[in-house]
Amino acid sequence: MQQRPLGRTGRSVSAIGLGTWQLGADWGAVSEDDALAVLAASVDRGVTLFDTADVYGDGRSESIIGRFLSQRPGHGITVATKMGRRLAQEPENYTPANFRAWTSRSRANLGVDTLDLVQLHCPPTAVIEDAATYDALDELVADKAIAAYGVSVETCEQALAAIARPNVTNVQIIFNPFRLKPLDEVLPAAEEAGVAIFARVPLASGLLSGRYTSGTTFAENDHRSYNRHGEAFDRGETFSGVDYEVGLAAASELTAALPPGVSLPAASLAWIASRPGVTSVIPGARNVRQAQSNADAAALLDGDFDVDAFEAAVYAVYDRHLRATIHPLW
Ligand SMILES: NC(=O)c1ccc[n+]([C@@H]2O[C@H](COP(=O)([O-])OP(=O)(O)OC[C@H]3O[C@@H](n4cnc5c(N)ncnc54)[C@H](OP(=O)(O)O)[C@@H]3O)[C@@H](O)[C@H]2O)c1
């Protein structure tokens, strides 16, 4: 597994990491044993980055990661958590006192004195553009409550605003074959500034698994049931904002363009990880099999997978089905 520099921190993280929203059991049930097995399977295949948040399972995801890491001394894993969604996402809630309270809770959940990396969890644009936000985060670094910070964003404009700040380590943004706008300006700007990019929702919430059909159903407490139109949070987080039926057609066209023996999720992850400016891709996995095959997709980066041919198909499918509706929104 390729390991890449994490911004200017001096740490390295794997080209393919692990997203752990699912381990909070917010996407339908995942037992604690299964969650621990997903973490172990990932690490055993070279994953050294876990992405979590204080709200995933209201701290369950962080706590399970903490328990897992306590059993692996000297593990070398970077945990990137997030804060800012335990209260309404209103600018007045992003105070130094709340930052302190939220990071204290995450430190307890993860069982560490200093958090490796804390990302603001899709705050309002006003917070991203406010110098006071970064002053408060710099204080947490000075106090060793956190080692580094970043910003998870919804839009490319927000990403560019965060990248322009001097002490931001990473920006996390949706980037996948159904969401190409970050290629235009965000990835080049991040590379130029030495800011790491974490590509989230890389499989468009599973649409890019290529295995869903019109008849596929999702659990009632899975956002793919209740947030298709942004009823609970930004609709771009569910299926990457792509209409489900359009996504099925686009995924099947991409599948048809694959070389023999390469799956659509593996091709998607490897292509994302291969784009200049991307530090790590963070697919979510609900079971060991998914975690293993996602980590194994990193092998395509060093093999004879024709990334350019896949990219040509990605652009053609995006232009045909998605650019007009997706590009203007995020
Ligand atoms: N605001 C934010 O900052 C934010 C928002 C969203 C996500 N994130 C982070 O980004 C991570 C990744 O995004 P995501 O989990 O939302 O979406 P994703 O990675 O695009 O999709 C995850 C889903 O894809 C399917 N899948 C995964 N690996 C597979 C494989 N090898 N073969 C077939 N299907 C596979 C699974 O679907 P099934 O469940 O159907 O099996 C899984 O639940 C999250 O876990 C979280 O850490 C952050």
Side-chain angles (χ1 to χ4, degrees), residues 154-155 181 235 241 325-330:
E154 300 289 6
T155 68
K181 196 167 174 185
R235 65 176 267 257
T325 51
I326 298 297
H327 226 69
L329 286 183
W330 293 281

Side-chain angles (χ1 to χ4, degrees), residues 49-53 78-82 116-119 170 198:
L49 173 66
F50 293 159
D51 179 75
T52 184
T78 295
V79 180
T81 192
K82 308 190 201 75
D116 298 334
L117 176 63
V118 174
Q119 305 154 103
N170 81 312
F198 292 178

Side-chain angles (χ1 to χ4, degrees), residues 119-156:
Q119 305 154 103
L120 293 175
H121 201 162
C122 295
T125 300
V127 172
I128 297 173
E129 292 178 344
D130 186 354
T133 302
Y134 304 92
D135 292 343
L137 292 167
D138 285 335
E139 269 183 40
L140 292 177
V141 174
D143 292 349
K144 297 194 166 36
I146 67 176
Y149 61 80
V151 188
S152 184
V153 300
E154 300 289 6
T155 68
C156 289

Side-chain angles (χ1 to χ4, degrees), residues 19-22 27 51 56 82 121-122 152 172 200-206 209 211-212 224 237 265 282-284 286 290 293-294:
T20 66
W21 187 5
Q22 288 76 358
W27 292 49
D51 179 75
Y56 294 166
K82 308 190 201 75
H121 201 162
C122 295
S152 184
Q172 181 179 136
R200 77 165 180 272
V201 196
L203 299 176
S205 314
S209 71
R211 67 193 165 86
Y212 301 159
R224 294 170 295 183
E237 303 294 349
I282 51 167
R286 272 219 299 182
Q290 290 180 353
S293 56
N294 292 344

Side-chain angles (χ1 to χ4, degrees), residues 176-180 204 207-208 242-243 245-258 264 268 271 308-327:
N176 63 46
F178 292 170
R179 181 74 77 91
L180 299 190
L207 264 179
L208 285 161
V242 172
D243 173 82
E245 295 295 331
V246 172
L248 292 181
S252 96
E253 287 181 29
L254 282 180
T255 300
L258 291 170
L264 182 56
S268 299
W271 173 73
D308 294 338
F310 184 67
E311 178 164 83
V314 165
Y315 272 101
V317 167
Y318 186 76
D319 288 346
R320 194 155 47 242
H321 293 285
L322 302 165
R323 183 178 290 276
T325 51
I326 298 297
H327 226 69

